[in-house]
Amino acid sequence: MTENPILTAPAMPRLGDPAPAFTAHTTQGEINFPGDYAGQWVILFSHPADFTPVCTTEFMTFAHLEDKFAELNTALVGLSVDGLYSHIAWLRTIKDKIDYRGMSDIEVTFPLIEDISMNVARIYGMIMPGEDSTKAVRAVFVIDPSGTIRTIIYYPLSLGRNFDELLRVVTALQTADAFSCATPADWRPGDPVIIPPPGSCGVAKERAESTEEGVTVHDWFFVTKDLDAAVIDREIRSPQR
């Protein structure tokens, strides 16, 4: 009897799940994931192949922004199903030859995982046969300091990632954790955040008539509060984090 590949394939990780653990060889040596990153946020991301143009622009941009992610206590870890020697040769080519959007002499210092067996790509659901059965799609997993998956984003092979959005996602997650709030559509630091609602129309009316500074009651289920960008910056970029 032929097995159903849908039933035999490993379950894809979900939001709120512990990040699947693995040990792998990388361009920066062996890593034990996510254990080596305990206490840090991590972006684990996959790309389809070395020596390809979209992936080259993405790696240059990740490396260019690595310090900005580091300020948010966030490490970067890349992956593709290519081998270690291919990774090293490609990253050397990027540094020595590629000039793109004013970025040149870009050195990638974060680890790039060798995953020829596709074992890591499979346990993270990065191989999608409808897109390509031999390459990883452009997956992004944002993992918090406890090793929990907080955000998952998938892009097709043809679509390069939006790096402003990746920085925004990490900032918003950390802000929500630090201030026990939620962030509305298109939120940026300095915009109002959403706080728990009053719970009833009567309480909402009382709250709307109060003089609580910076709080706006739009309705009983929808309350926002001003939160200064400088306050967020001090909290989530604190060296103690």
Side-chain angles (χ1 to χ4, degrees):
M1 181 178 176
T2 303
E3 292 184 318
N4 185 330
I6 296 176
L7 298 178
T8 57
M12 292 174 60
R14 298 166 296 185
L15 296 180
D17 284 353
F22 62 85
T23 300
H25 295 292
T26 82
T27 51
Q28 301 295 319
E30 186 174 276
I31 63 169
N32 296 292
F33 193 91
D36 287 349
Y37 297 91
Q40 284 184 281
W41 290 75
V42 187
I43 291 180
L44 172 66
F45 67 97
S46 56
H47 71 279
D50 299 343
F51 293 101
T52 55
V54 177
C55 300
T56 296
T57 66
E58 291 191 318
F59 261 73
M60 293 181 75
T61 307
F62 263 127
H64 182 67
L65 295 174
E66 186 174 12
D67 287 347
K68 289 188 178 296
F69 284 108
E71 289 172 4
L72 295 167
N73 190 31
T74 302
L76 304 174
V77 180
L79 174 149
S80 83
V81 301
D82 298 291
L84 199 58
Y85 292 115
S86 173
H87 287 343
I88 292 168
W90 177 48
L91 298 184
R92 184 179 297 124
T93 299
I94 287 175
K95 184 178 189 303
D96 293 345
K97 296 183 178 181
I98 307 299
D99 186 332
Y100 174 72
R101 286 189 173 177
M103 294 182 289
S104 61
D105 193 32
I106 295 293
E107 184 170 7
V108 175
T109 58
F110 56 82
L112 174 51
I113 294 168
E114 172 187 64
D115 193 29
I116 299 172
S117 65
M118 299 188 187
N119 288 339
V120 178
R122 286 195 179 98
I123 65 173
Y124 274 86
M126 296 168 172
I127 305 295
M128 297 190 174
E131 183 72 6
D132 196 300
S133 61
T134 62
K135 295 183 178 71
V137 295
R138 301 182 195 283
V140 177
F141 290 82
V142 181
I143 299 162
D144 71 17
S146 70
T148 300
I149 296 172
R150 300 291 297 277
T151 299
I152 303 172
I153 308 172
Y154 285 102
Y155 299 80
L157 274 63
S158 62
L159 179 61
R161 283 165 266 230
N162 183 310
F163 287 82
D164 286 340
E165 173 62 4
L166 297 184
L167 281 165
R168 190 189 79 91
V169 165
V170 174
T171 303
L173 289 170
Q174 294 185 9
T175 298
D177 286 359
F179 296 93
S180 300
C181 63
T183 52
D186 293 329
W187 177 87
R188 299 279 180 179
D191 295 341
V193 296
I194 295 172
I195 59 175
S200 72
C201 294
V203 175
K205 184 175 185 297
E206 291 177 8
R207 194 168 189 179
E209 291 172 352
S210 76
T211 57
E212 190 173 353
E213 186 177 356
V215 172
T216 301
V217 179
H218 302 272
D219 209 324
W220 66 268
F221 62 90
F222 182 17
V223 182
T224 59
K225 182 175 183 178
D226 294 341
L227 185 57
D228 191 83
V231 174
I232 295 172
D233 194 65
R234 285 197 300 271
E235 179 64 26
I236 70 175
R237 296 176 194 269
S238 167
Q240 281 75 42
R241 283 176 63 83

